[in-house]
Amino acid sequence: KCADDTKPKCTCPNKPCNAKNPPDCTCDDGSTPGFKPPCDDGSFPVCAGGCSDGSDAVLTADLLQNPPCPDGGFPRPRTCKCADGTNLGRKLLKAFLQRG
């Protein structure tokens, strides 16, 4: 989402777009597109061992340009936990599915 809560405009100059080849996204309001932290305290969860190589995933608001796993992929959502105890349920999965 953009800072004004609108959806960014994304193009995929080199198809197919995926985690290793993210789309180019821009916001009409000039902000940088990003993902809202899913934890109730405004933070991102820790995904211990969530990457395919067993490493911890590092989630940020910029999942497209800064993939959370070393291989450019995304963690298994079930490995992700919020420090504040927020029940992620489908929140994190939904964020991954809506990326780009």
Side-chain angles (χ1 to χ4, degrees):
K1 285 194 171 187
C2 299
D4 64 1
D5 216 26
T6 61
K7 190 174 183 175
K9 292 179 182 163
C10 298
T11 59
C12 189
N14 300 307
K15 296 185 181 190
C17 275
N18 54 42
K20 293 180 183 177
N21 182 36
D24 293 326
C25 297
T26 58
C27 293
D28 286 339
D29 67 0
S31 65
T32 300
F35 291 95
K36 182 180 175 186
C39 301
D40 291 341
D41 67 358
S43 68
F44 285 90
V46 173
C47 306
C51 297
S52 62
D53 65 359
S55 63
D56 296 347
V58 178
L59 298 173
T60 66
D62 191 4
L63 292 174
L64 296 176
Q65 299 302 318
N66 188 21
C69 293
D71 67 357
F74 291 86
R76 293 178 300 279
R78 290 183 183 184
T79 66
C80 301
K81 306 234 184 298
C82 293
D84 69 359
T86 300
N87 180 357
L88 291 172
R90 295 186 173 266
K91 285 172 111 175
L92 191 61
L93 183 58
K94 182 178 177 185
F96 288 162
L97 293 174
Q98 289 181 346
R99 64 185 185 271

